[in-house]
Amino acid sequence: MFQVHAIAAFNDNYIWCITDSASAKCALVDPGDGDVCIEFIKKNNLILSDILVTHHHKDHTGGINKLKQFAHEQDWSVTVYGPTQEAQQFSDVHVVEGDTVQILTNQIHFSVIELPGHTLGHIAFHNDQWLFCGDTLFSGGCGRLFEGSAQQMLNSLQKLSTLNEQTKVFCAHEYTLANLKFARTIEPNNGQLKDYLNKATELRASNIATIPSTIGLEKQINPFLRSHLDSVRVGAQQQSGLELDNTVDVFAAVRELKDNF
């Protein structure tokens, strides 16, 4: 009954559309581009009812006003949920960690997790099946530290790593190939990483999305979820030339190496 669809936007963004086939209602996650969302809604005869926002960056929020105006013209009621710390100007309902969000006429429930790092107020929405994590966790990577610290981002990723390993990870960008090529420089002997890079390369060659990933897969191949492991510490030391004494230092070194990759 419920499905998640990718709406491609800009160069590499994914706007996620959750649909209910029974009611034709839909919810959007991080709609940075209103036009592509409206096109998708019209093409599939959907009714917009909810918008979820993970953080304030324009490529995640830029389409909200146009979508709200479009919904008003259709006489639809739309509720926008966003992080209390940074999305007041975009959202109708401001949420914090521990809150529950109910969408699509209360049929789908999400818990809110606070994930400072990429931005200070970044959040994610998750349930037993799905994680919508914006720009915190990518397949094979994580978001840049625009506002938060390495310690904050590490803590946020550690939160996500405790989720059920079958949870599907719906991040907001198709960065997978670049992330995996970098990850191989940190863990060149990781066979699962090599296999996943080959698979992702085939998918992208056919213009097929590599997302969603899963928490379980990311724990096997993503250096930012593996900075507590000796293999990542050794790789980061070799690449950076630094002596890395703890997990935060390893994480920070890997993040800086990726920034300059």
Side-chain angles (χ1 to χ4, degrees):
M1 181 183 295
F2 302 108
Q3 290 185 294
V4 182
H5 308 265
I7 302 174
F10 310 119
N11 293 327
D12 49 39
N13 280 69
Y14 290 131
I15 299 166
W16 299 107
C17 184
I18 308 166
T19 61
D20 173 14
S21 60
S23 68
K25 288 188 175 181
C26 71
L28 295 168
V29 184
D30 286 346
D33 184 338
D35 291 331
V36 295
C37 294
I38 291 169
E39 180 182 355
F40 184 88
I41 289 168
K42 288 181 175 179
K43 180 179 178 181
N44 293 280
N45 297 311
L46 298 170
I47 301 166
L48 179 62
S49 64
D50 308 275
I51 296 174
L52 306 180
V53 180
T54 63
H55 65 293
H56 66 84
H57 287 163
K58 189 174 182 181
D59 63 323
H60 296 251
T61 61
I64 293 175
N65 287 338
K66 179 171 282 191
L67 285 162
K68 291 181 81 170
Q69 178 60 38
F70 171 69
H72 177 73
E73 292 168 358
Q74 311 304 312
D75 200 27
W76 298 339
S77 176
V78 175
T79 303
V80 183
Y81 302 87
T84 295
Q85 187 167 339
E86 62 181 50
Q88 290 90 341
Q89 68 270 43
F90 307 115
S91 55
D92 305 308
V93 179
H94 309 146
V95 296
V96 297
E97 181 157 334
D99 284 348
T100 299
V101 170
Q102 302 178 28
I103 65 169
L104 301 181
T105 322
N106 299 331
Q107 294 187 88
I108 294 180
H109 295 193
F110 289 113
S111 296
V112 176
I113 319 175
E114 293 178 353
L115 301 173
H118 181 67
T119 66
L120 290 176
H122 200 300
I123 63 171
F125 301 88
H126 82 96
N127 57 25
D128 291 339
Q129 293 180 283
W130 303 328
L131 168 69
F132 295 94
C133 54
D135 287 356
T136 295
L137 174 65
F138 297 125
S139 189
C142 75
R144 288 177 179 262
L145 305 181
F146 287 126
E147 298 175 12
S149 66
Q151 178 73 73
Q152 286 176 310
M153 182 63 102
L154 176 61
N155 291 345
S156 294
L157 293 173
Q158 287 173 336
K159 281 185 187 180
L160 297 182
S161 71
T162 67
L163 298 178
N164 186 301
E165 293 195 351
Q166 302 305 312
T167 303
K168 292 183 178 180
V169 178
F170 294 91
C171 60
H173 291 275
E174 182 59 73
Y175 290 162
T176 307
L177 281 186
N179 287 338
L180 297 180
K181 289 174 183 177
F182 166 75
R184 288 273 289 157
T185 70
I186 301 297
E187 287 193 287
N189 298 319
N190 184 331
Q192 292 156 317
L193 173 56
K194 180 181 178 181
D195 291 344
Y196 182 44
L197 174 56
N198 291 338
K199 178 182 177 181
T201 300
E202 291 177 3
L203 289 173
R204 294 309 297 150
S206 300
N207 199 32
I208 299 172
T210 62
I211 312 300
S213 176
T214 66
I215 291 293
L217 174 60
E218 294 307 313
K219 288 167 72 172
Q220 294 174 338
I221 58 88
N222 190 323
F224 296 101
L225 293 184
R226 297 167 59 81
S227 51
H228 60 290
L229 298 177
D230 282 344
S231 57
V232 174
R233 179 183 58 80
V234 169
Q237 287 188 159
Q238 291 175 342
Q239 293 296 315
S240 67
L242 301 173
E243 189 68 31
L244 305 172
D245 298 325
N246 56 63
T247 302
V248 178
D249 289 345
V250 173
F251 179 87
V254 175
R255 183 62 263 177
E256 186 171 354
L257 288 165
K258 178 62 173 70
D259 289 345
N260 296 290
F261 182 66

